[in-house]
Amino acid sequence: LYGFNEKYLGRIFKTETGNTFHEYLNEIRLEKASEMLSEGKSVKETAFSLGFANQNYFSASFKKHYGYPPSKLLK
């Protein structure tokens, strides 16, 4: 519509936020995951409802971001 391509918009996004769009999106998803796990949702249910391809990738991403596994938040 405006003549901008995906790479150009990605560079602008990174310049403005300090993160790539993918990094930003994962951060938002992991914050929501933390809430869901604290409310008693299972790791599997949380991972798939937030669009992670599999539970192992979700767990690794969560641990990398927070420093502890998602199972630590389960009630």
Side-chain angles (χ1 to χ4, degrees), residues 2-5 8 11-14 16 25-26 28 32 34 37 41 47 54 60 63 70-71 73:
Y2 295 102
F4 301 129
N5 69 30
Y8 176 71
R11 283 194 306 269
I12 291 173
F13 191 89
K14 181 155 181 142
E16 294 297 318
L25 179 60
N26 265 349
I28 299 298
K32 180 64 178 172
S34 181
L37 292 165
K41 304 286 186 203
N54 65 60
K63 187 172 183 177
S71 57
L73 293 179

Side-chain angles (χ1 to χ4, degrees), residues 6 9-11 13-14 17-31 50-53 57-58 61 64-65:
E6 180 180 325
L9 292 175
R11 283 194 306 269
F13 191 89
K14 181 155 181 142
T17 66
N19 291 322
T20 65
F21 181 75
H22 183 72
E23 291 167 340
Y24 175 79
L25 179 60
N26 265 349
E27 190 172 313
I28 299 298
R29 291 161 78 198
L30 291 170
E31 288 173 8
L50 293 174
F52 285 89
Y57 177 70
F58 166 71
S61 297
K64 182 178 179 183
H65 184 76

